Amino acid sequence: MTLHLDPALLARLQFAFTISFHILFPAFTIGLASWLAVVEWRWLKTGDETYRDVYRMWVKIFAVTFGMGVVSGIVLSYQFGTNWSVFADKAGNIIGPLLGFEVLTAFFLEASFLGIMLFGWNRVSPKMHFSATVIVASGTLVSAFWILSANSWMQTPQGFFIGDDGLYYPLNWLAIIFNSSFPYRMIHMVTAAYLTTAFAVSGVGAFYLYRKKFTNQAKVMFGMAMLMAVFVAPLQLLFGDLHGLNTFKEQPVKVAAMEGLWETQEGAPLVLFGWPDEERETTRFAVEIPKVSSLILTHHLDGEVRGLKEWPKDRRPPVAPVFWSFRIMVGVGMMMILTGVIALFLYWKKRLFDSPWFHRWCMLMTPAGFIAVLSGWFVTEIGRQPYIVFNSLLTSESISPVAGIHISLSLIAFIIIYGLVFGAGIYYIFRLVQKGPVPETETPYGGHGIEAPPLVSDVVTAKGEDHV
C-alpha cells in the first residue's frame, strides 16, 4: 500500500504553520514599540521613575520578541523558493519589489535603531534615545505597510498585466501598492496589533495587582492598557465593518463562507452558529437572526447577499474553517469591548485597581489579541482559496515540483525546531515577567541625571539569576 502525500496540501500546511508562528511576533512588536515610545515620553516629561522601570522591563521583552519575529520571517521567504517556486516565478515581478521595499525601508531602520534602544542608554542623550524608540516604532508600521500591501494585492490584484510568457508585470505601482483592499486591511491589522499588545500588557499588570507586587508599575501597565480597551476596541468594530464591506464588494464568495450562506437571498439572515455541511450545501443546526446579514452587508433589510451556490464547488473556499474562524475573531473582539466597558465602570467607581475578580478576568484575556489575529488571518487566507492570487492564479498551479515526502519531512523538522527555539524564547519572556520591573542602579548617562535602562550585560545577568 502506497501512502499518497499531496504536495500542495503539505506545502500549504507548512506555510500555515510557519506564518502562524511568525504573525504573532510582529502583531505584538508593532503595538509594543508604539507603547514603549509613549512610556518613555511620559518618563521624560514627568521624571517619574515608575515609567522608567516599566520601560526597562518591556524593552527586554520587545528585543526577544523582535528577534523571534526576524528568525521566523526569514523562513517564510525561503519557502517562496522551495515550495512555491512557480508562484515566485510568475508573480515575482510584483511581490519581489514589495518585499524588498520592506527590507530596505523598514527592517534596516528597525534593526539599526533597536541597537540604540538597547545599548545606547549610557551613550546618547535622553532625547536621542527617545528618538530611537520613535524611529523603531515607525519602522514597525512601515514594515506592516509593505507586507500588508503585498498581501492585499494577492487578495485584490490590480495594476498589472500577464505577458505572453505567463508572468505578471506591473503597469501601475500606485494601483498595486494602494490596491482596493489595502487601506482597510492596514488599519484593521494595525489596530489589532495595538489591541494585542494592550491585552498582553494588561494581563501582566493584572497579575502584579492580583499578587500585590510592583503596584506602582502595575498601575501604569494596567491603566494604559485599559485606555486602549475603552477607546480602541470599539473602533476596531467599526474598522472591521468597513473591511467586511470592502470584502463583500471584492470577494463576495469569501463573505458567503464567513456567513455560512448557500442560497442567494434578499433579506439574508445572520447565522450566529451552525455547522456548514459542504456535501449537502447547507448550514445545519443554524441559529439565525432574520435579515441582519443583509442589514450589515448592504445597509438594507432586504438587500441581496449572494450564496455559495453562485460559484462552482471547485471555486469555493473551505467553508467550515472560514465560518468558525470568523466567529472566534468576532467573539474575542466583543469580549475586548466588554472588558473596556467594565473597566470604565470600575474607574468611575474608583475600583479599577482594587477589583481582584476583574484582574483575574484580564489575566484570562492576556492571549485574546493573539487569538483574534490568528483567527482573522485564517479567514483572510483560507477565504481566498482556491486562489493564491485571487481570481487569477490557482494555489494548485503555484506549487514547486517537490515530492510530498520531502515537504512532510521538512514540516516535521519545523515543528520540532520551532517548538525548541521559540519555546525557549517564550519561556524566557515568562521569566522576565516573573522577575518584574525591578529597579536597577546604574550610572546616570550623559550627565542628564536620568538613570540608564539596562545594557546587554544586565539581560544576561538576569537570565543567569533566573536559573540559579
Side-chain angles (χ1 to χ4, degrees):
M1 179 177 176
T2 303
L3 179 63
H4 175 68
L5 299 174
D6 182 4
L9 176 61
L10 288 168
R12 288 179 61 194
L13 288 174
Q14 186 177 109
F15 199 84
F17 174 78
T18 52
I19 200 170
S20 294
F21 259 90
H22 172 71
I23 197 173
L24 298 177
F25 303 123
F28 188 39
T29 55
I30 289 170
L32 188 55
S34 296
W35 181 64
L36 284 173
V38 174
V39 170
E40 187 172 8
W41 170 72
R42 290 293 298 162
W43 171 25
L44 295 176
K45 183 176 177 63
T46 66
D48 186 346
E49 293 184 355
T50 303
Y51 293 104
R52 177 204 64 184
D53 297 338
V54 170
Y55 187 104
R56 287 161 66 160
M57 169 188 162
W58 283 98
V59 76
K60 299 176 187 177
I61 295 174
F62 176 82
V64 176
T65 309
F66 181 85
M68 291 191 290
V70 171
V71 171
S72 58
I74 292 173
V75 172
L76 297 177
S77 300
Y78 278 109
Q79 284 185 67
F80 285 127
T82 57
N83 294 349
W84 302 100
S85 60
V86 177
F87 166 70
D89 180 47
K90 289 188 174 183
N93 292 326
I94 294 174
I95 296 297
L98 293 176
L99 299 182
F101 293 153
E102 189 268 338
V103 174
L104 291 174
T105 61
F107 177 71
F108 288 161
L109 192 70
E110 296 170 84
S112 299
F113 285 90
L114 177 63
I116 297 178
M117 283 180 67
L118 293 174
F119 311 138
W121 287 91
N122 58 346
R123 295 178 175 86
V124 300
S125 69
K127 290 184 178 180
M128 181 63 235
H129 190 275
F130 172 64
S131 298
T133 304
V134 172
I135 290 171
V136 169
S138 302
T140 62
L141 294 174
V142 174
S143 179
F145 175 93
W146 291 113
I147 296 301
L148 292 173
S149 177
N151 182 270
S152 296
W153 181 84
M154 293 167 66
Q155 303 283 342
T156 52
Q158 296 166 0
F160 72 98
F161 73 97
I162 300 176
D164 295 336
D165 53 5
L167 304 184
Y168 289 66
Y169 292 95
L171 272 177
N172 185 334
W173 276 109
L174 287 179
I176 290 170
I177 295 169
F178 298 98
N179 57 81
S180 57
S181 67
F182 167 69
Y184 304 98
R185 185 168 284 105
M186 177 73 181
I187 192 169
H188 191 49
M189 180 60 203
V190 170
T191 306
Y194 284 157
L195 286 172
T196 298
T197 299
F199 278 86
V201 171
S202 76
V204 174
F207 172 72
Y208 293 149
L209 289 171
Y210 187 74
R211 293 290 185 89
K212 302 187 186 304
K213 296 168 59 178
F214 316 114
T215 304
N216 291 335
Q217 294 88 345
K219 287 181 178 179
V220 168
M221 299 179 203
F222 194 68
M224 295 178 76
M226 286 301 102
L227 280 174
M228 295 291 289
V230 169
F231 294 106
V232 180
L235 283 177
Q236 181 70 322
L237 184 64
L238 171 63
F239 299 149
D241 178 62
L242 294 173
H243 190 20
L245 294 176
N246 175 260
T247 305
F248 179 65
K249 175 183 176 183
E250 302 286 352
Q251 297 174 294
V253 64
K254 181 189 292 188
V255 172
M258 291 161 55
E259 298 295 331
L261 296 175
W262 298 87
E263 304 287 348
T264 298
Q265 303 178 51
E266 294 181 356
L270 175 65
V271 180
L272 294 176
F273 302 104
W275 189 262
D277 188 333
E278 295 188 53
E279 184 176 344
R280 298 183 182 180
E281 297 187 314
T282 186
T283 299
R284 302 169 64 188
F285 318 115
V287 178
E288 302 176 345
I289 302 178
K291 296 182 179 290
V292 173
S293 186
S294 287
L295 179 63
I296 293 173
L297 294 170
T298 68
H299 293 170
H300 296 285
L301 285 172
D302 295 319
E304 182 179 275
V305 179
R306 297 171 69 186
L308 285 160
K309 291 183 180 180
E310 291 277 331
W311 292 270
K313 287 187 176 182
D314 63 351
R315 291 298 182 265
R316 303 173 191 167
V319 181
V322 176
F323 179 86
W324 283 110
S325 295
F326 179 68
R327 274 144 189 79
I328 292 171
M329 178 187 68
V330 173
V332 171
M334 292 301 178
M335 291 166 67
M336 290 179 171
I337 293 174
L338 176 63
T339 302
V341 171
I342 296 173
L344 190 61
F345 175 78
L346 292 176
Y347 178 78
W348 178 59
K349 290 288 188 178
K350 302 187 186 304
R351 296 281 310 276
L352 182 61
F353 302 121
D354 302 303
S355 300
W357 66 269
F358 184 58
H359 300 155
R360 287 195 298 270
W361 167 257
C362 289
M363 283 188 274
L364 291 174
M365 286 290 290
T366 301
F370 298 105
I371 295 171
V373 165
L374 279 177
S375 301
W377 274 101
F378 290 162
V379 172
T380 297
E381 300 307 308
I382 299 175
R384 186 185 59 214
Q385 299 306 315
Y387 298 98
I388 195 168
V389 179
F390 188 68
N391 276 348
S392 182
L393 179 61
L394 290 168
T395 303
S396 59
E397 297 173 352
S398 307
I399 187 72
S400 299
V402 182
I405 184 64
H406 297 153
I407 302 177
S408 63
L409 290 174
S410 60
L411 175 58
I412 293 171
F414 275 128
I415 293 173
I416 295 172
I417 294 170
Y418 273 45
L420 293 173
V421 174
F422 297 115
I426 294 169
Y427 171 77
Y428 181 50
I429 289 175
F430 275 101
R431 297 296 292 174
L432 290 173
V433 170
Q434 186 178 38
K435 180 181 179 182
V438 180
E440 301 175 30
T441 56
E442 297 181 3
T443 305
Y445 64 101
H448 296 281
I450 301 176
E451 290 186 10
L455 303 174
V456 173
S457 58
D458 300 305
V459 180
V460 175
T461 301
K463 186 173 182 181
E465 290 174 351
D466 290 338
H467 293 282
V468 173

